[in-house]
Amino acid sequence: MSRILVTGAAGFIGSNFVRHLLRARSGAQIVGVDKLTYAGNLESLADCTEDARFRFVRCDICDADAMAPILGDGIEAIVNFAAESHVDRSILGAQEFVRTNVIGVQVLLDLARAHEVNRFLQVSTDEVYGSLGPSGKFTESTPVAPNSPYSASKTAADHLVHAYHHTFGMATLITRCSNNYGPYQFPEKLIPLFITNLLEKNKVPLYGDGMNVRDWIHVQDHCEAILTVLERGTPGQVYNIGGECEIPNIEIARRLLGHLDCDEDMIEYVTDRPGHDRRYAVDISKITKELGWRPRMNFDDGLAETVAWYLANRKWWQRIKTGEYQEYYEKQYGRGGVTVKPE
Ligand code: NAD
Ligand code: DAU
């Protein structure tokens, strides 16, 4: 597999995956597609666009006519990261979540089928399994029970992917990962929001009692797992991915206060997220036993590196907070489609 389409390439995990693929597979030819919504940032791919093996096209995955020529260009595999990804935004309005996360996936599946793409990897989430009590972990056979409009839309997509494998024999793969952290994460998610707020001497909003638990994984470990599944996973299968690192939100907040020399009074307890899932924890024995993947990054080291990255890359996140990052590509390329480095 050398010609790979990465959708959602200008987002947090997509941009890290493009960078990982360029480093790890010298023969890879990558087309990165992104609609450049509020969450997409061409500045996250600045170093990659200089590589002759990478081409970026601004495109909406729901737009079958615009996507078809990209697929027609000999694409052998698709890794779909494109999504509306923030739970709080899905509570404010679900329409874009259904459009991109469900209809977008159906459009991609139809195009992949028409163009006989060899592998289709859907990047899904552990949130499809719903919420855990104090014990137990999500396995691949845990019944899906999504609780937010976001996770419901991701679950619908997983069902479609399964159906295209079952009905048409397409070589599909689904990965379900836990909470990622690391460089280039949009500062609306817990860790980058808290780091950037504290750097700007603002308080951090902790939902409810702060005792909700997430299973944290460094984005680089997630990218390595995705490439492993893409290359060696069994078609039709689901693979859980996780960091084996359960931490309550209050503990994350306290560790960040420590890193940035701030007092506990910088935590502001705020009204809880409606329908807030209490605990996620992922059982990774299937991917470990079948494909030999395990997370490598220790959380304390990863968090320290991440804080250091946000300190060293103030311009990247400050331009997001002021909105300048969106003016950048509109000034450079206008409001329409962008192709960086056409072939
Ligand atoms: P993100 O919001 O940072 O990136 C999503 C990208 O998709 C953005 O660049 C956005 O512009 C693009 N996009 C949105 N709608 C599009 C459309 N219609 N057409 C083309 N591009 C579009 O999200 P992320 O955190 O990088 O997540 C990537 C994927 O991984 C998502 O599918 C998400 O469900 C999944 N996931 C995320 C996590 C996590 O912790 N962040 C964990 C597990 C799974
Ligand atoms: O589990 C994987 C999922 O992780 C992905 O599928 C999603 O795309 C990704 O956004 C993430 O979802 P969460 O809702 O778990 O992530 P978020 O960073 O929004 O919140 C993490 C926890 O922190 C959650 O319990 C809510 C809490 N929180 C979040 C924010 C933004 C706060 O207490 N305060 C906040 O301001």
Side-chain angles (χ1 to χ4, degrees):
M1 264 175 306
S2 63
R3 293 183 74 81
I4 301 174
L5 172 63
V6 178
T7 57
F12 164 46
I13 310 175
S15 62
N16 277 285
F17 183 73
V18 168
R19 197 167 289 106
H20 174 60
L21 202 48
L22 288 171
R23 264 197 312 256
R25 297 289 178 269
S26 56
Q29 297 284 328
I30 307 166
V31 182
V33 159
D34 202 292
K35 183 182 175 184
L36 298 177
T37 67
Y38 82 92
N41 187 351
L42 214 41
E43 293 175 14
S44 303
L45 287 167
D47 50 334
C48 305
T49 52
E50 285 159 20
D51 192 310
R53 296 169 297 148
F54 178 69
R55 184 165 72 98
F56 177 82
V57 185
R58 184 182 194 179
C59 195
D60 183 340
I61 59 162
C62 301
D63 185 344
D65 292 341
M67 288 296 298
I70 301 170
L71 269 292
D73 202 17
I75 292 296
E76 293 162 282
I78 300 178
V79 184
N80 180 35
F81 293 94
E84 289 294 333
S85 69
H86 195 43
V87 174
D88 293 327
R89 287 181 188 258
S90 79
I91 294 166
L92 294 174
Q95 194 171 348
E96 276 306 300
F97 286 74
V98 172
R99 202 183 87 85
T100 290
N101 300 3
V102 185
I103 297 171
V105 171
Q106 169 255 310
V107 168
L108 283 181
L109 284 164
D110 281 338
L111 285 168
R113 187 168 165 245
H115 292 277
E116 297 179 352
V117 171
N118 294 337
R119 309 272 273 188
F120 184 102
L121 190 150
Q122 170 66 6
V123 180
S124 185
T125 169
D126 62 352
E127 296 198 12
V128 300
Y129 297 120
S131 185
L132 288 166
S135 62
K137 289 188 173 190
F138 299 132
T139 72
E140 288 81 356
S141 46
T142 301
V144 292
N147 287 319
S148 71
Y150 161 71
S151 55
S153 68
K154 293 294 288 186
T155 309
D158 285 9
H159 286 314
L160 276 173
V161 172
H162 165 78
Y164 276 61
H165 170 74
H166 184 83
T167 308
F168 305 118
M170 274 178 66
T172 61
L173 299 146
I174 295 175
T175 55
R176 292 180 178 156
C177 189
S178 61
N179 285 63
N180 285 219
Y181 70 98
Y184 299 104
Q185 187 166 29
F186 198 87
E188 65 183 350
K189 306 282 163 66
L190 181 77
I191 288 181
L193 178 73
F194 281 21
I195 296 172
T196 57
N197 273 15
L198 293 173
L199 287 174
E200 292 187 316
K201 310 281 176 236
N202 292 323
K203 292 196 175 199
V204 295
L206 193 60
Y207 297 163
D209 62 2
M211 288 307 292
N212 298 68
V213 172
R214 296 293 182 265
D215 175 350
W216 293 96
I217 181 171
H218 193 274
V219 65
Q220 177 61 25
D221 277 326
H222 187 191
C223 290
E224 289 175 14
I226 287 174
L227 187 53
T228 302
V229 173
L230 181 68
E231 293 180 337
R232 295 193 283 113
T234 304
Q237 291 293 302
V238 173
Y239 293 91
N240 281 353
I241 301 168
E244 295 196 310
C245 178
E246 287 182 54
I247 304 182
N249 296 335
I250 179 73
E251 178 60 24
I252 299 277
R254 289 193 174 126
R255 290 193 200 189
L256 292 174
L257 294 177
H259 276 291
L260 294 165
D261 263 338
C262 295
D263 295 330
E264 185 102 6
D265 63 7
M266 289 303 277
I267 297 178
E268 185 176 10
Y269 286 86
V270 298
T271 310
D272 208 356
R273 171 186 281 174
H276 197 173
D277 284 341
R278 193 63 173 169
R279 175 174 165 261
Y280 303 146
V282 176
D283 181 331
I284 59 166
S285 29
K286 177 173 173 179
I287 187 171
T288 301
K289 281 192 197 126
E290 289 186 17
L291 305 178
W293 174 89
R294 286 198 62 77
R296 295 190 296 151
M297 179 66 89
N298 158 286
F299 184 74
D300 287 330
D301 296 342
L303 194 66
E305 269 185 27
T306 303
V307 172
W309 189 89
Y310 280 87
L311 268 164
N313 292 276
R314 277 177 187 268
K315 199 173 150 197
W316 181 86
W317 58 265
Q318 281 173 338
R319 285 168 62 77
I320 290 175
K321 289 205 171 185
T322 60
E324 285 166 282
Y325 74 116
Q326 288 185 313
E327 286 160 25
Y328 162 79
Y329 60 73
E330 282 176 8
K331 263 191 208 138
Q332 299 271 108
Y333 307 105
R335 283 182 179 269
V338 184
T339 301
V340 178
K341 264 198 293 89
E343 278 176 334

